[in-house]
């Protein structure tokens, strides 16, 4: 596996691949890799000639300094994991490589950054958009792979891709879960042993909500039900539970059987913020 630390070398490497007319699959990450990430890489390896991954904890997408500081960093073991599954190359840049003195670009994703993650993490998607645009420009992938756990991120990246005319197919990949249903996430590593026991509750709540909606209960009453699960005694402090149309993330009040609907949830367990979603259909 090629381990590339700077933009100049990455540009040269990508140019060689393009000259040979090989397809590139790209898996951008912030490291602390888990099986969910590895699934993205494996899918890319199946669908492309060369798979490039990146590891970069992107400062511009953190709206909280401590969150950025505490984000798990395990670059050495991440590189070994990628090597073991035969990833073609990994790009591990520094902040100076990715950002100049002050970036003038400011993306505005409109509605997509006013709801759910955007509402609770102001500026987050501007930062995601900025780094993904830079990485797409460098890697020039034919396909890029993103986990469905970050459903809203996929919607933002699809918009970015459409508006900037990137010639890349965005490939969403199913969420990988722990035995108790907890969606795999790098942040899970920050959970204390005691808190970890409670973390499956978010997925459980999503499933109970799905059962109720399928049984014909209306959206508002299901929302009240989910809120009641995370009352003052609960270890998890609920931030939001939303029922949205998957294609545009608009809130739904009445469910139409032909609609593609997603149930999205976020909450804090101790200091760790967890998010998840499932599809109703
Ligand atoms: O999903 C992530 O890990 C990050 O948001 C991404 C897409 C790598 C951009 O920093």
């Amino acid at each position: 596996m090629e381990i590339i630390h700077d933009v100049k070398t990455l540009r040269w490497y990508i140019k060689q691949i393009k000259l040979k007319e090989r397809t590139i699959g790209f898996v951008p990450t912030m490291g602390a890799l888990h099986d969910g990430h590895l699934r993205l890489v494996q899918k890319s390896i199946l669908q492309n000639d060369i798979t490039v991954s990146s590891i970069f904890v992107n400062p511009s997408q953190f709206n909280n300094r401590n969150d950025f500081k505490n984000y798990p960093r395990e670059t050495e073991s991440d590189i070994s994991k990628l090597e073991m599954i035969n990833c073609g190359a990994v790009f591990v840049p520094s902040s100076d490589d990715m950002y100049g003195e002050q970036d003038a670009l400011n993306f505005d994703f409109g509605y997509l950054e006013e709801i759910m993650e955007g509402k609770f993490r102001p500026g987050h998607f501007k930062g995601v958009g900025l780094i993904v645009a830079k990485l797409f420009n460098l890697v020039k992938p034919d396909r890029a792979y993103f986990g469905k756990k970050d459903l809203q991120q996929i919607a933002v990246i699809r918009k970015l891709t459409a508006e900037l005319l990137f010639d890349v197919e965005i490939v969403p990949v199913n969420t990988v879960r722990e035995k108790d249903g907890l969606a795999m996430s790098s942040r899970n590593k920050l959970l204390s042993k005691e808190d970890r026991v409670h973390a499956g509750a978010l997925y459980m709540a999503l499933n109970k909500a799905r059962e109720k909606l399928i049984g014909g209960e209306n959206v508002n009453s299901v929302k009240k039900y989910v809120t009641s699960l995370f009352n003052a005694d609960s270890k998890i402090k609920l931030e939001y539970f939303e029922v949205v149309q998957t294609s545009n993330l608009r809130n739904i009040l009445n469910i139409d059987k032909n609609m593609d609907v997603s149930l999205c949830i976020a909450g804090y367990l101790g200091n760790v913020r967890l998010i998840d979603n499932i599809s109703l259909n």
Side-chain angles (χ1 to χ4, degrees):
M1 183 175 74
E2 299 293 329
I3 303 167
I4 300 170
H5 288 280
D6 66 286
V7 167
K8 197 172 160 211
T9 312
L10 180 68
R11 284 205 168 113
W12 180 86
Y13 176 78
I14 298 295
K15 205 167 169 187
Q16 304 314 304
I17 299 172
K18 294 283 174 190
L19 279 173
K20 291 179 196 146
E21 296 186 2
R22 296 204 169 146
T23 56
I24 299 177
F26 180 43
V27 183
T29 81
M30 296 208 299
L33 302 184
H34 49 70
D35 285 356
H37 292 116
L38 302 184
R39 193 72 65 84
L40 305 179
V41 174
Q42 280 159 336
K43 185 147 189 179
S44 171
I45 290 173
L46 284 177
Q47 296 185 334
N48 302 280
D49 297 323
I50 304 282
T51 290
V52 177
S53 185
S54 63
I55 299 173
F56 179 62
V57 184
N58 172 35
S60 74
Q61 71 187 74
F62 287 81
N63 56 316
N64 177 320
R65 269 193 151 280
N66 274 340
D67 191 21
F68 174 65
K69 211 177 89 204
N70 296 333
Y71 198 85
R73 288 162 171 87
E74 305 172 352
T75 312
E76 288 304 306
S77 75
D78 288 342
I79 290 175
S80 306
K81 285 178 188 169
L82 291 172
E83 214 149 27
M84 259 169 38
I85 60 167
N86 293 324
C87 185
V90 61
F91 178 48
V92 193
S94 69
S95 258
D96 287 350
D97 278 312
M98 298 314 292
Y99 289 103
E101 297 262 292
Q102 201 166 21
D103 269 284
L105 272 182
N106 186 11
F107 290 115
D108 182 352
F109 296 102
Y111 173 75
L112 286 180
E113 55 175 306
E114 287 159 16
I115 50 160
M116 300 196 290
E117 291 306 285
K119 182 170 163 194
F120 287 92
R121 301 184 67 192
H124 169 65
F125 288 122
K126 292 186 193 305
V128 170
L130 193 55
I131 196 66
V132 171
K134 285 170 188 258
L135 290 167
F136 278 4
N137 259 324
L138 288 170
V139 177
K140 301 182 178 34
D142 296 279
R143 298 184 186 86
Y145 296 78
F146 296 90
K148 284 190 193 172
K149 180 179 75 70
D150 298 304
L151 188 72
Q152 196 170 353
Q153 172 167 279
I154 293 177
V156 164
I157 289 168
R158 281 194 194 286
K159 193 160 170 64
L160 176 86
T161 303
E163 296 211 356
L164 292 182
L165 305 173
F166 282 116
D167 191 11
V168 55
E169 181 192 343
I170 304 303
V171 186
V173 179
N174 285 342
T175 302
V176 180
R177 297 183 179 280
E178 303 285 357
K179 279 205 183 90
D180 64 348
L182 174 66
M184 287 199 185
S185 161
S186 305
R187 288 175 197 277
N188 295 353
K189 296 179 180 171
L190 301 174
L191 289 169
S192 69
K193 231 178 175 181
E194 190 204 316
D195 282 346
R196 174 63 191 86
V197 177
H198 301 277
L202 282 179
Y203 184 58
M204 228 184 315
L206 285 174
N207 278 303
K208 284 187 187 157
R210 173 160 59 185
E211 256 171 50
K212 285 182 180 286
L213 289 169
I214 288 174
E217 212 169 296
N218 77 52
V219 171
N220 270 335
S221 108
V222 173
K223 278 189 170 182
K224 279 189 192 139
Y225 165 74
V226 171
T227 308
S228 77
L229 290 177
F230 301 101
N231 57 23
D233 297 333
S234 166
K235 282 269 179 190
I236 295 181
K237 302 297 162 224
L238 186 70
E239 223 169 36
Y240 64 76
F241 166 72
E242 300 290 355
V243 179
V244 299
Q245 207 169 328
T246 309
S247 57
N248 54 20
L249 303 188
R250 293 274 168 192
N251 279 96
I252 294 175
L253 284 180
N254 298 304
I255 292 182
D256 171 334
K257 282 205 172 87
N258 302 316
M259 254 180 208
D260 201 357
V261 174
S262 291
L263 282 55
C264 305
I265 200 162
Y268 273 94
L269 184 45
N271 291 326
V272 184
R273 191 167 179 281
L274 300 172
I275 66 170
D276 200 355
N277 69 82
I278 59 174
S279 164
L280 182 71
N281 321 80

